[in-house]
Amino acid sequence: MNNEEIKKHYHSYINQIKDEIDPVILKMRRQKGEKWAGLAWKGPLKQFAGYAKHFKVVSAIKWTAIPIIGQALVVIASWYTKIPLWLTILVSLAVLFLVYFIYVQLYINKMATLNTKEFHVEALKAKRPAEYALWNTYLQIDDFTFSDLYQFMNSYLIPYKDGSVESVLSYSMGREEALEETIQEQGDRITEYERAVEGLVDDLDTADSAIGYLVQLITDVNTNLYRFTNGVLDFYDLRFVTPFTIYEVDGNILRKLKDVGTSGGSLPEIDMSIPQEKEYAAVTAAKSGDPYGAYVSNPYPGRAVVAFPMKMLEQKRWIWCFHFDQSDERALSLVLSNDIIESRQIRRLVHTFCLILQKSMDLEKEATHDGTEQAN
């Protein structure tokens, strides 16, 4: 077989596969001998954290558990105390472990699959020994690559016009230029990888914060469920997101019902028929015909108010107003930016608790009225 046939059948083929196979071989060498079981159990956590960017942490999840909690709160309250707490905790932990174990098994399958970002050679060795045995032949020589083999063949297959020193020098200069271009390409690739790593670190930091916000929200909701079950839930318990005010719509008048955690500077009564130089978010929400909208105003630099309307019992309408500083990342994530869950679900959760409290207030009024009539 002459040089032209070798170049056609082998040399060009090696050139085609070297860029695909060499990265796999190099990754296998780096991972060989590493422990992989711990990575498999941690892997799903990193996947969950990665969701923070691509569907805004947790907003793309559209956390449907919140509306389910909201709509079922009243029903839950009736039987909530009938289930032993230890049984609830035990069953919950068992379900969580089972779900997470399934995720781990799926993650291990990815670790044992070539060309996935989760790939690990030790997982391939443990789960697919036959496939690993084939690739292991390339790992026996520490510095072997198909790129080196390709360059080695180049040195023998290059066509010389003669055996002169000038011809050898000309070839060497060409080789030097090619190596310089390769070094530059590798440098650019390393720079891209460094940027990608920095982006991943930022994503992990964001995900850690988002998970912390979400855990705190679940804790607060669970506490309020206990307080409702024990008959002590009140409006002060609803400050699990930000300080707030509540207005009741009465024709063109907004009357303040509650003010919790704010500076107390909001107006006790607003006449919506009087033009304002800068309209309040509560007024905009009251005038709007959108029952699911949220409206933002900035009473002064760095401060934000987000208001939304709520349809209450007995044909009443309330306006809820979140008050927070624009530097409050947790409030921004929950109320405006949808970073953790869809902000509309937070508003639905607040609405549900308000309905529960309104109903409790009405029952107290009825009980007081009935007691007065009996006394008379």
Side-chain angles (χ1 to χ4, degrees):
M1 183 177 290
N2 58 36
N3 281 3
E4 291 300 320
E5 291 175 333
I6 293 174
K7 290 175 66 176
K8 179 179 180 182
H9 294 287
Y10 299 107
H11 184 254
S12 60
Y13 177 71
I14 293 175
N15 185 42
Q16 292 175 14
I17 66 173
K18 63 183 178 63
D19 291 335
E20 296 181 6
I21 296 182
D22 280 353
V24 178
I25 295 175
L26 293 174
K27 187 174 184 179
M28 286 181 171
R29 286 193 185 126
R30 290 195 304 269
Q31 296 176 338
K32 191 172 183 180
E34 292 181 354
K35 296 184 181 299
W36 64 277
L39 297 175
W41 280 93
K42 296 177 183 177
L45 289 176
K46 295 181 179 179
Q47 285 186 329
F48 298 155
Y51 296 157
K53 176 179 180 181
H54 299 293
F55 42 94
K56 294 186 175 180
V57 203
V58 189
S59 91
I61 299 177
K62 307 281 182 195
W63 194 38
T64 55
I66 286 290
I68 292 174
I69 291 174
Q71 295 168 2
L73 282 177
V74 178
V75 177
I76 291 174
S78 65
W79 53 265
Y80 188 82
T81 56
K82 297 180 180 179
I83 301 176
L85 180 59
W86 66 268
L87 180 59
T88 301
I89 294 174
L90 182 62
V91 172
S92 299
L93 291 175
V95 172
L96 286 174
F97 178 81
L98 177 61
V99 172
Y100 192 78
F101 180 78
I102 293 173
Y103 271 99
V104 170
Q105 296 307 308
L106 294 174
Y107 193 87
I108 290 175
N109 186 57
K110 292 181 180 179
M111 293 180 72
T113 303
L114 290 170
N115 291 331
T116 63
K117 64 180 181 180
E118 298 86 358
F119 172 78
H120 198 287
V121 67
E122 295 298 327
L124 178 68
K125 181 179 179 180
K127 297 298 180 180
R128 300 175 183 175
E131 187 174 347
Y132 169 81
L134 175 63
W135 283 95
N136 189 45
T137 57
Y138 298 118
L139 308 180
Q140 302 307 308
I141 302 177
D142 291 339
D143 56 354
F144 169 80
T145 64
F146 282 90
S147 295
D148 290 338
L149 178 60
Y150 177 78
Q151 297 298 337
F152 178 79
M153 294 182 68
N154 269 344
S155 63
Y156 286 92
L157 297 177
I158 187 170
Y160 292 105
K161 292 183 179 179
D162 53 54
S164 65
V165 174
E166 290 81 3
S167 179
V168 174
L169 288 175
S170 176
Y171 167 67
S172 299
M173 292 177 64
R175 289 279 294 156
E176 182 179 358
E177 292 176 358
L179 288 174
E180 288 178 351
E181 291 178 359
T182 301
I183 292 172
Q184 181 63 41
E185 291 176 357
Q186 294 299 324
D188 293 341
R189 185 173 298 179
I190 290 173
T191 300
E192 291 179 1
Y193 289 157
E194 289 175 346
R195 292 174 181 170
V197 169
E198 290 176 358
L200 289 174
V201 171
D202 292 340
D203 290 344
L204 286 174
D205 290 340
T206 301
D208 286 341
S209 298
I211 292 172
Y213 298 156
L214 187 59
V215 170
Q216 183 60 51
L217 179 64
I218 295 173
T219 301
D220 292 338
V221 170
N222 193 45
T223 299
N224 283 355
L225 284 173
Y226 273 107
R227 289 181 62 81
F228 172 70
T229 303
N230 294 323
V232 293
L233 182 71
D234 59 30
F235 282 97
Y236 290 93
D237 296 315
L238 302 191
R239 188 184 169 180
F240 50 80
V241 180
T242 72
F244 64 89
T245 56
I246 304 174
Y247 287 92
E248 182 174 12
V249 180
D250 183 8
N252 285 328
I253 303 298
L254 292 182
R255 291 190 174 86
K256 185 162 64 176
L257 297 179
K258 294 291 178 182
D259 189 302
V260 176
T262 74
S263 64
S266 55
L267 296 176
E269 188 173 285
I270 302 175
D271 188 344
M272 295 187 291
S273 64
I274 301 177
Q276 301 289 334
E277 181 179 349
K278 187 176 182 180
E279 190 170 81
Y280 298 105
V283 173
T284 306
K287 290 180 178 180
S288 172
D290 184 1
Y292 304 108
Y295 306 90
V296 184
S297 67
N298 301 103
Y300 54 84
R303 189 68 172 173
V305 176
V306 176
F308 66 94
M310 298 184 295
K311 291 183 178 180
M312 306 302 291
L313 303 174
E314 300 177 358
Q315 304 301 314
K316 293 182 180 181
R317 290 181 68 216
W318 289 2
I319 307 298
W320 178 286
C321 301
F322 292 107
H323 296 255
F324 57 92
D325 292 331
Q326 291 178 316
S327 60
D328 187 341
E329 295 183 359
R330 179 176 182 271
L332 288 171
S333 297
L334 290 171
V335 178
L336 283 180
S337 61
N338 295 323
D339 282 343
I340 301 177
I341 63 173
E342 188 179 8
S343 57
R344 186 167 68 92
Q345 303 302 338
I346 295 292
R347 299 196 295 272
R348 294 185 67 183
L349 177 63
V350 168
H351 185 196
T352 301
F353 275 116
C354 285
L355 288 170
I356 291 173
L357 287 172
Q358 185 194 20
K359 189 169 185 179
S360 297
M361 291 165 58
D362 290 343
L363 291 174
E364 288 179 4
K365 289 179 181 178
E366 291 178 5
T368 302
H369 180 70
D370 291 342
T372 303
E373 287 186 346
Q374 290 177 1
N376 292 333

